Amino acid sequence: MARVFSGMQPTGDATLGNLLGALRPWVDTQNADAYYCVVDLHALTVPHDPAGLRRQTLELATLFLSVGLDPDIGTLFVQSHVHEHTELAWLMECTAAFGELRRMTQFKDKSERSDFVSAGLLTYPALMAADILLYDTEEVPVGDDQRQHVELTRDVAERFNSRYGQTFTVPKAVIGRVGARVMDLQDPSRKMSKSDDTSAGTLLLLEDLGSIAKKIKRAVTDTNYDPKQPGAANLLSILSACTGDDPDTLAANYTQYGPLKADVTEAVTAVVEPVQRRYAELSADPATVAKILERGAEKAQTVAAATLDRARRNVGLLVRDEG
Ligand code: AQP
């Protein structure tokens, strides 16, 4: 049973990409040694509204439960509830190189699109490395877009271990074969993202089912059916991730886009509808969700504190004499 850690930012309403690339694989691999985190500190790297962040943090935690993560199996918590994340992040910032951080694709993409580029947007992967390393994580189930950040985490962990002695377990990314990169329905050259405002190309998990159907119907495709065309390939990959069928076999089943889009709509509805039903029940009881998060934070902190202590000692910080 591998020690697993993964997180998701409360930066907007979660998408079908978040479900197929992350949340569903999390549910499939959940075990007593799995940690799943709403990474609210990461959400501060881009402009945000404080009340919105608080609301979206609770909503995302509720969504974790709605997709089937079980707090009696793994540990569910909010990143900022465990202060060890920010403390270890500083040690990671001092271990990662400026050039490494600057080369990250996500930094380049997001900084090009923003008027205000925070220092936190650059150092985001150092905080992510801290998130992962605090739990002696072996496996990080993520979508393909996060592969580079996990690689950086590995490099930083190895560098720290070789400079200061064995401190961290070196983790590896686990990326699913299907659903790992769901693309925007209007611009299939970009991944479907929760913080993007191209709403016509983004399927939200809690979106009205009629609206989901409309967006799939209007998804960009060519006039003639070609399973290799990016829009068609994206629809086939979504269908495959939802049904579990092989994408190449599915591709051969169609000669036109109409029936493909109808089947994608049906498959997406079948996946999303039960999540929406469960979400409606749980969101009526935020106190229970808050209790689950408190229990999760306590459990996570026990592990995180031990790792941070080891890292502080090994890096050479003087131990505080509290006696
Ligand atoms: N389109 C996608 N296809 C497959 N997987 C995806 N993930 C995100 N988008 C897709 C996976 O979802 C998890 C959430 O990661 P995150 O919240 O830390 O941020 P992200 O990867 O940057 O996701 P978003 O939706 O694009 O958020 P914003 O817009 O805030 O940047 C990760 O495991 C990711 O791989």
Side-chain angles (χ1 to χ4, degrees):
M1 196 169 60
R3 171 70 63 96
V4 172
F5 175 93
S6 205
M8 192 169 285
Q9 302 183 76
T11 31
D13 297 326
T15 69
L16 185 72
N18 297 133
L19 181 73
L20 300 180
L23 295 169
R24 284 226 311 191
W26 295 2
V27 172
D28 294 342
T29 53
Q30 66 181 323
N31 66 63
D33 236 4
Y35 293 78
Y36 297 111
C37 186
V38 179
V39 289
D40 54 345
L41 296 169
H42 284 277
L44 301 180
T45 57
V46 289
H48 75 283
D49 154 55
L53 176 61
R54 255 188 305 274
R55 179 178 48 77
Q56 285 177 332
T57 301
L58 186 63
E59 284 175 1
L60 187 56
T62 308
L63 194 62
F64 279 14
L65 296 165
S66 308
V67 298
L69 289 175
D70 183 342
D72 292 327
I73 298 178
T75 304
L76 311 185
F77 67 105
V78 173
Q79 182 187 30
S80 67
H81 292 179
V82 180
H83 63 79
E84 284 78 1
H85 287 251
T86 38
E87 286 187 51
L88 187 64
W90 178 250
L91 304 193
M92 297 297 99
E93 281 181 40
C94 297
T95 309
F98 173 64
E100 276 172 330
L101 296 172
R102 209 178 37 180
R103 279 196 296 276
M104 292 291 113
T105 313
Q106 180 173 289
F107 173 70
K108 286 198 263 180
D109 284 354
K110 288 196 174 171
S111 58
E112 275 164 17
R113 285 190 269 132
S114 309
D115 295 334
F116 175 76
V117 180
S118 70
L121 192 62
L122 177 71
T123 58
Y124 174 113
L127 176 58
M128 180 164 160
D131 299 337
I132 295 168
L133 299 177
L134 274 176
Y135 298 94
D136 292 326
T137 303
E138 293 160 309
E139 294 185 356
V140 190
V142 279
D144 193 45
D145 59 310
Q146 291 291 339
R147 184 194 295 272
Q148 201 184 27
H149 288 160
V150 181
E151 279 305 314
L152 182 78
T153 300
R154 289 172 58 82
D155 292 344
V156 170
E158 280 166 358
R159 192 173 305 148
F160 195 101
N161 285 346
S162 88
R163 282 186 188 164
Y164 310 116
Q166 180 58 37
T167 310
F168 299 121
T169 301
V170 180
K172 65 167 198 265
V174 177
I175 295 162
R177 202 174 57 83
V178 286
R181 197 173 276 261
V182 177
M183 309 309 278
D184 188 282
L185 297 183
Q186 289 300 317
D187 177 2
S189 67
R190 298 163 41 139
K191 75 161 184 158
M192 190 182 280
S193 248
K194 58 177 135 50
S195 61
D196 278 348
D197 36 34
T198 61
S199 62
T202 308
L203 300 178
L204 303 176
L205 290 185
L206 299 177
E207 181 167 359
D208 172 72
L209 294 174
S211 161
I212 288 184
K214 259 192 218 141
K215 287 182 183 176
I216 295 173
K217 205 166 178 188
R218 290 180 192 154
V220 166
T221 45
D222 273 353
T223 321
N224 296 320
Y225 178 72
D226 171 7
K228 298 249 168 334
Q229 184 264 335
N234 188 32
L235 290 173
L236 286 162
S237 142
I238 292 173
L239 183 59
S240 158
C242 291
T243 59
D245 295 331
D246 173 65
D248 294 333
T249 315
L250 287 172
N253 290 348
Y254 300 95
T255 52
Q256 293 172 36
Y257 288 113
L260 169 61
K261 288 181 175 178
D263 286 355
V264 172
T265 303
E266 195 182 316
V268 170
T269 304
V271 167
V272 162
E273 201 173 24
V275 175
Q276 295 193 349
R277 219 177 307 119
R278 184 87 185 103
Y279 184 88
E281 288 162 18
L282 285 164
S283 57
D285 186 8
T288 298
V289 178
K291 267 195 213 118
I292 289 170
L293 294 176
E294 172 50 22
R295 190 152 53 90
E298 256 177 45
K299 211 168 137 206
Q301 193 154 38
T302 313
V303 180
T307 313
L308 178 66
D309 183 58
R310 193 164 68 236
R312 289 175 61 109
R313 286 169 194 271
N314 289 356
V315 82
L317 297 175
L318 183 66
V319 176
R320 180 173 164 186
D321 183 357
E322 293 179 23

